Amino acid sequence: GSEGNAGSVFINVAGPMTMTRRGKVESEVTETIGRGGSIVINAGSLAMDDVSFMQVQNRDSFGAPGNITVNVEEAFDIRNASFLSASINVKSVADTSITEEVGNVVVNAGTLRLSFLGSIRLSTQGQQDAGDIRITADVIEIDDPYLPDEIVETASGFFSRSRPRARGAGGDIVLDAGLLRVSGNSVITT
């Protein structure tokens, strides 16, 4: 197999940043020995729409995924099945020599809105624990259309999961806000 770390992605936008129509930013390690890179976004505002995503991933590798850090001065909107994700798959092996935190999603924003299946999610199927979700915002809003008497398998929200066959644990979800609104079929779950 190969060896080597993935690079990181750094994006600085003075004004608005938009991702739409399956736009993606990702860093992953696949079938190798090495660390995944991180994604760092600094923007005035950020809108993710139409199944757009940012993702860090450790897939079938000896190593660890990077982190996603998003700093937005004003509004950060994640909607229409767009998402942020950090994941470790079933064949991945944790590198125990890595002492710093990995696989985290950290968001600092004026307002964070998740709607119409917009989500931030972490998962592990491997030996390594999933990272943490840490959100700091004046306002956090999670809103999906309310469907009474229906069990909704997918929803807007925050997810941290230890998947079947995983040896690693799910991570924490830490929300620090002046106002938190959760409505419709939205969820916060570990």
Side-chain angles (χ1 to χ4, degrees):
S2 62
E3 292 187 27
N5 298 328
S8 293
V9 177
F10 300 93
I11 298 175
N12 297 298
V13 182
M17 174 177 170
T18 302
M19 298 176 64
T20 189
R21 298 194 306 183
R22 296 190 61 84
K24 62 183 178 180
V25 178
E26 61 185 337
S27 180
E28 68 176 45
V29 284
T30 303
E31 297 180 352
T32 188
I33 298 172
R35 291 196 54 176
S38 291
I39 296 171
V40 180
I41 307 288
N42 298 295
S45 63
L46 175 54
M48 298 176 64
D49 204 351
D50 299 325
V51 201
S52 296
F53 64 89
M54 296 183 200
Q55 178 171 268
V56 290
Q57 187 169 208
N58 181 359
R59 180 185 296 170
D60 300 347
S61 297
F62 178 85
N67 300 304
I68 298 175
T69 303
V70 178
N71 301 304
V72 175
E73 294 177 13
E74 298 174 5
F76 182 11
D77 290 302
I78 306 173
R79 57 185 176 257
N80 291 325
S82 297
F83 61 90
L84 304 183
S85 172
S87 63
I88 301 159
N89 87 339
V90 67
K91 294 182 181 178
S92 297
V93 177
D95 182 352
T96 56
S97 69
I98 297 173
T99 56
E100 64 266 35
E101 296 183 339
V102 295
N104 297 311
V105 174
V106 177
V107 174
N108 301 292
T111 299
L112 173 63
R113 297 187 193 96
L114 308 178
S115 61
F116 295 98
L117 307 184
S119 64
I120 296 177
R121 55 197 193 214
L122 308 178
S123 66
T124 182
Q125 289 180 291
Q127 297 179 7
Q128 188 171 16
D129 293 348
D132 298 330
I133 296 173
R134 298 189 190 116
I135 309 297
T136 302
D138 296 331
V139 177
I140 300 173
E141 297 179 341
I142 316 169
D143 184 25
D144 268 345
Y146 177 58
L147 304 173
D149 303 320
E150 286 195 30
I151 298 173
V152 179
E153 295 296 328
T154 56
S156 291
F158 300 102
F159 303 83
S160 181
R161 301 271 173 82
S162 180
R163 299 285 186 185
R165 296 189 293 168
R167 294 184 183 177
D172 295 330
I173 298 173
V174 180
L175 308 180
D176 186 357
L179 172 66
L180 171 63
R181 182 179 296 116
V182 182
S183 60
N185 290 302
S186 303
V187 296
I188 301 171
T189 183
T190 61

